[in-house]
Amino acid sequence: SVDLDPASAPIKKEKIGDPFGVIMWPGSILASKELARHQKEVYNSIVMVLGPGTGVEVQAAAKLGASCVYALDISKLTLKLLKFGAEQAGVGNVVKPIQFDLFSKEGLPDCDIIVVADVLYNAELAQEVGRRCVEVLSRKSPPKIIVTDSQRFRGTDFLEDVNIRLEGRYIHAPLEWEYYELVNIKGSGVMIDGDQIYDATTRMFSAGWTD
C-alpha cells in the first residue's frame, strides 16, 4: 500500500499519464446498480475493486454495508482522490486503497466480491483483466464477480479465452456478456471540458450470486 493522506491531494501535483482513471464512466454506474441488486450479499462482505477510478462502485459497496472495500489501482493520484472522496462520504474507515500493478505477478487479495468496471481500454489491458478473472474464479471458494464495459474497444472481448481456461473449473462458466442501455448519463470525458449528457450501451457479466 502507499501513503494516501487525503490532505495532500489538493497540494501535490502529479502528472496524469492516464486520464481515464479520473473520469466517471457508465460502467461504474451499472456495476453499482448490480451491487445494489445484491445488497444482502454485499452486506458484511469483503469487496475488491480493480481500477476503481473515481470510486463510484467503491463508495456504493461501502454504503451497502460491505465490511471492507479494497480499491486497487496503479495510480497514486487516483487512490489519493478516491480516499479523499470516501472520507467525505463517511466511508473512509471501510475503504482500503492499495497501489497495485495489474500486470505484476503478485496475486490478488482474497475477497467475497470482485468488481472490474470500465477498465478495458485496450487489448493488452483486457487480456490482463481476463487473466485476473481466471485467477480468482479458479480458487476453491471463488468470489462473486461483476465486470462492465461501456467503451467496447476493438480487441477487448476477453471472454472466449476466459471460458476456455475456466472449463471444468468454474461452476458458472461459460460467462456471457449482457447488454444494457444507460440513458441520460451525466459526466465528463477524456479531453472534454465540463459535463456532458449522453446514452451508453454497456455490457456486463455478473456471476456467483445466490440471491
Side-chain angles (χ1 to χ4, degrees), residues 33-147:
K33 290 183 176 181
E34 183 70 359
L35 286 170
R37 195 165 73 88
H38 300 287
Q39 182 175 3
K40 290 183 180 179
E41 295 190 65
V42 175
Y43 183 78
N44 207 32
S45 68
I46 297 175
V47 179
M48 177 170 57
V49 181
L50 300 185
T54 57
V56 175
E57 62 275 40
V58 170
Q59 290 192 27
K63 292 283 189 178
L64 289 167
S67 62
C68 178
V69 184
Y70 295 125
L72 277 62
D73 203 290
I74 196 170
S75 168
K76 289 184 179 181
L77 175 60
T78 295
L79 292 172
K80 286 179 181 178
L81 295 174
L82 182 147
K83 183 175 178 64
F84 178 76
E87 293 189 348
Q88 292 297 301
V91 293
N93 61 320
V94 176
V95 175
K96 309 298 181 186
I98 299 173
Q99 188 175 23
F100 186 88
D101 184 357
L102 196 67
F103 287 80
S104 72
K105 295 182 179 180
E106 183 179 356
L108 291 171
D110 289 331
C111 64
D112 302 307
I113 302 168
I114 182 170
V115 181
V116 190
D118 261 343
V119 299
L120 308 182
Y121 308 147
N122 55 55
E124 292 76 19
L125 185 52
Q127 183 178 8
E128 288 304 305
V129 170
R131 179 175 70 88
R132 293 299 187 171
C133 287
V134 172
E135 174 191 334
V136 297
L137 296 181
S138 298
R139 291 176 178 173
K140 185 176 181 180
S141 297
K144 289 89 171 174
I145 186 168
I146 300 171
V147 179

